[in-house]
Amino acid sequence: MPFKELLTRISDIRRRIAEAARRTGRATRRAAGQVAGRPGVRRAGRWAAIVLVAGFGAWLGIAVSGGVRSSLGPVEVGLSLRPALEGQTVVDVHPLGTLLFDSHDAPLRLRVTLENINQDLARAMIADPRLADRLPDLIEDDLRTGVTALLVRSLLFALGGALLAGIVVFRRVRAALATLLVATACVAGTGGAVAATFRPQALVEPQYTGLLTGAPSLVGSAESIVTRFESYRAQLTKLVSNVSQLYDTVSALPVYDSDPNSIRVLHVSDIHINPIAWNLIKTVTSQFKIDLIVDTGDLTDHGTKPEDAFVKEIGRLDVPYVWVRGNHDSKGTQRAVARQKNAVVLDDRSATVKGLRVYGIGDPRFTPDLSAHANNDPAYLIDHGRRHDVGEKPVDLVAVHDPIIAEGFSGRTPTVLAGHAHARSTKLLPTGTRLLVQGSTGGAGLRALEHEQPTPVMASVLYFDKDTRRLEAWDDITMGGLGQQSVQIQRHIEEQPGRTILPEPASAPTPSGSLKAPATPEHRG
């Protein structure tokens, strides 16, 4: 076949295909128009639009409805409803933490916020058994009143939002009324779903976040899970009673009106790859408005590369994280920490962080390396601290891992932070330097299982004056270790924050052999 004839045939085939495509397109559009023109299809389209507008308007109305305030015995709470992908009840007992209850399956979240405690009524309830006996009925009546007011308010806002959305979108009275009708059906269906899927036993199966992590004493025992309303009623009473008692305890702490302009430092140590430490750190950082965190080492257990993934949690914090190496942290661990965007790694250097000049050194030992000899001699350790120069500029704070090394900085700074001992302590050295030794913020990690009593989880909030940069007070936070339920905050006031810091005498004695050396690495951080 000649080449020219071949091209002619190909061109003819292309023309026929294009013509067939045009005819098919016209037929398709004509058929679609006929279908769309059918009354049933138009009606279905209109109702679909009405349903979408009604749902959006009701959702928006509930979202902007705010909430109501109500009393539950001595506790004043705020109640609010919000659309959500999964049904939950959230109880925010700030600053103690948050309780999450999987109470229903409908797409609504009930949020209960603790607004205030009537201290007089709470104390009377605790002291008077007769008043305590009446508390279940009182709480039940108050809760019914509050929830009824919330439901009425949310219903009005949902229907009002749907009606307004219908008027704005359709601009016709009949369509707007249809939108209101659909919204009423949706709201009624959601309410029915809440009632049908409501689980009273959820109150004894909460999820904890914040300082209440591991503290089920707030809601009492969950040894048995029952669905009877009496159980729900009793557990609700226990929740209100325990919250009242916790707040009464917190209100009795020593009064320290911390200056909002003060520098707030969270001191943590010896986390030993225990994830519970990050929960505590995140909550305290948020609730106490922490400016910077100082970690005095032993973030890991063996300083291995797989443990580097654990340090990534540092980068998820919103404040600077000052860190010194402990005797369980390797140089690889140090590099992993340094890669976090908010980390300030100090190893024989100083840095100014949030107005505080901080000097730090890493521990000279790496005890997981059994091939290397670890010098635990107190004379060597204290001399190790003395040999390091903090620089020409005065430093406000020194961070080291071992308390014995910390004593080597006596007289060269007002405050030294350390860890290592897995037990909290403090002492004022003869030079005027305050030594603060932190317990284990990780509850000693797996070491907590080696003893009869679990190691508590500990951290402290330190308050520094922004002008003088001197320590003025600190709050010690202690949570019960594995399997325990206590939460305690103890406040301490620095009696002479502006005291003179005297240098160590030139002939300062080194510790003698009678000074007890730290315990062996397998039992200490």
Side-chain angles (χ1 to χ4, degrees):
M1 180 181 295
F3 183 69
K4 184 179 289 187
E5 185 179 348
L6 177 62
L7 290 178
T8 302
R9 289 195 176 188
I10 291 174
S11 177
D12 185 54
I13 292 172
R14 289 178 58 190
R15 188 167 53 253
R16 291 182 181 182
I17 291 174
E19 180 61 28
R22 283 194 293 271
R23 286 198 301 268
T24 302
R26 286 194 296 268
T28 301
R29 287 193 295 273
R30 191 161 48 248
Q34 291 172 355
V35 172
R38 293 175 183 173
V41 175
R42 286 201 305 270
R43 195 159 41 246
R46 281 199 303 268
W47 277 108
I50 287 173
V51 170
L52 289 175
V53 172
F56 174 76
W59 178 88
L60 188 62
I62 292 176
V64 302
S65 65
V68 299
R69 292 178 73 125
S70 179
S71 295
L72 296 181
V75 179
E76 185 176 351
V77 298
L79 302 171
S80 61
L81 275 178
R82 290 292 181 271
L85 295 178
E86 54 183 345
Q88 294 174 334
T89 298
V90 180
V91 180
D92 184 357
V93 282
H94 180 82
L96 300 174
T98 302
L99 300 172
L100 180 64
F101 302 94
D102 184 18
S103 55
H104 56 279
D105 292 331
L108 279 178
R109 177 182 292 126
L110 171 62
R111 188 171 189 87
V112 183
T113 306
L114 183 63
E115 303 289 348
N116 192 27
I117 292 283
N118 184 331
Q119 294 288 346
D120 294 334
L121 183 56
R123 293 190 182 98
M125 177 197 73
I126 295 168
D128 188 352
R130 292 174 298 178
L131 185 57
D133 291 340
R134 290 175 44 213
L135 188 61
D137 295 324
L138 181 63
I139 291 175
E140 189 178 322
D141 292 341
D142 290 342
L143 182 63
R144 184 181 294 110
T145 301
V147 171
T148 300
L150 176 65
L151 292 177
V152 170
R153 180 183 179 88
S154 300
L155 176 63
L156 292 177
F157 271 82
L159 298 182
L163 180 61
L164 183 61
I167 293 173
V168 170
V169 173
F170 299 113
R171 301 178 183 273
R172 294 196 306 273
V173 174
R174 290 183 62 184
L177 292 177
T179 305
L180 179 62
L181 179 64
V182 170
T184 303
C186 291
V187 171
T190 303
V194 172
T197 61
F198 176 65
R199 290 180 289 274
Q201 76 271 19
L203 200 64
V204 296
E205 298 177 288
Q207 298 178 28
Y208 302 92
T209 60
L211 290 178
L212 296 175
T213 299
S217 57
L218 185 69
V219 293
S221 174
E223 292 176 357
S224 61
I225 299 174
V226 293
T227 58
R228 291 177 296 108
F229 182 76
E230 278 301 314
S231 172
Y232 163 77
R233 189 169 179 258
Q235 291 296 331
L236 179 61
T237 304
K238 185 178 288 291
L239 172 63
V240 172
S241 301
N242 288 352
V243 167
S244 301
Q245 293 184 50
L246 281 172
Y247 266 77
D248 186 52
T249 301
V250 171
S251 68
L253 290 173
V255 176
Y256 173 65
D257 186 14
S258 59
D259 187 343
N261 294 320
S262 64
I263 304 171
R264 303 187 180 201
V265 177
L266 176 60
H267 179 201
V268 300
S269 190
D270 297 85
I271 291 175
H272 287 292
I273 61 170
N274 189 344
I276 193 175
W278 297 126
N279 296 335
L280 177 65
I281 289 171
K282 290 174 184 176
T283 301
V284 174
T285 298
S286 171
Q287 294 176 349
F288 285 77
K289 296 179 173 60
I290 296 299
D291 295 300
L292 69 147
I293 300 167
V294 177
D295 184 339
T296 48
D298 275 4
L299 186 60
T300 62
D301 254 345
H302 298 93
T304 58
K305 189 172 182 59
E307 292 172 286
D308 290 351
F310 182 75
V311 312
K312 292 181 180 179
E313 290 292 334
I314 294 174
R316 298 186 176 99
L317 301 170
D318 295 329
V319 297
Y321 195 95
V322 179
W323 182 82
V324 295
R325 191 179 65 253
N327 62 294
H328 279 259
D329 301 315
S330 66
K331 290 294 184 69
T333 304
Q334 181 164 305
R335 289 189 292 270
V337 173
R339 287 194 291 269
Q340 307 310 307
K341 64 181 186 303
N342 58 327
V344 181
V345 174
L346 300 181
D347 193 9
D348 193 19
R349 74 180 188 94
S350 60
T352 300
V353 186
K354 294 293 184 177
L356 283 180
R357 187 164 181 80
V358 187
Y359 173 86
I361 56 171
D363 198 284
R365 302 157 296 179
F366 180 53
T367 53
D369 183 3
L370 300 180
S371 65
H373 173 67
N375 192 343
N376 292 322
D377 178 52
Y380 160 76
L381 293 174
I382 198 169
D383 190 56
H384 180 78
R386 286 176 179 165
R387 288 197 310 268
H388 282 79
D389 187 3
V390 299
E392 296 181 358
K393 293 183 179 179
V395 295
D396 308 308
L397 185 64
V398 169
V400 300
H401 181 62
D402 194 307
I404 299 179
I405 296 176
E407 294 197 30
F409 291 92
S410 177
R412 293 191 280 167
T413 181
T415 309
V416 184
L417 304 184
H420 186 63
H422 295 179
R424 180 189 286 138
S425 64
T426 180
K427 63 178 175 179
L428 195 61
L429 302 176
T431 60
T433 295
R434 168 74 67 182
L435 172 56
L436 291 165
V437 182
Q438 188 57 270
S440 174
T441 310
L446 293 178
R447 292 164 184 78
L449 304 175
E450 296 177 354
H451 311 288
E452 291 184 5
Q453 294 298 323
T455 303
V457 175
M458 296 183 176
S460 299
V461 179
L462 317 178
Y463 301 91
F464 288 83
D465 184 271
K466 202 167 188 177
D467 296 323
T468 65
R469 301 183 300 281
R470 287 293 190 92
L471 178 67
E472 295 203 325
W474 65 96
D475 291 337
D476 286 334
I477 301 170
T478 305
M479 290 174 52
L482 293 173
Q484 293 194 343
Q485 305 173 354
S486 60
V487 180
Q488 182 184 22
I489 302 175
Q490 188 173 6
R491 186 162 296 156
H492 308 273
I493 307 297
E494 185 68 89
E495 294 182 357
Q496 295 179 317
R499 64 189 176 277
T500 301
I501 307 300
L502 302 172
E504 278 277 1
S507 58
T510 58
S512 64
S514 61
L515 182 61
K516 196 171 184 180
T520 54
E522 61 267 24
H523 294 295
R524 289 288 190 224

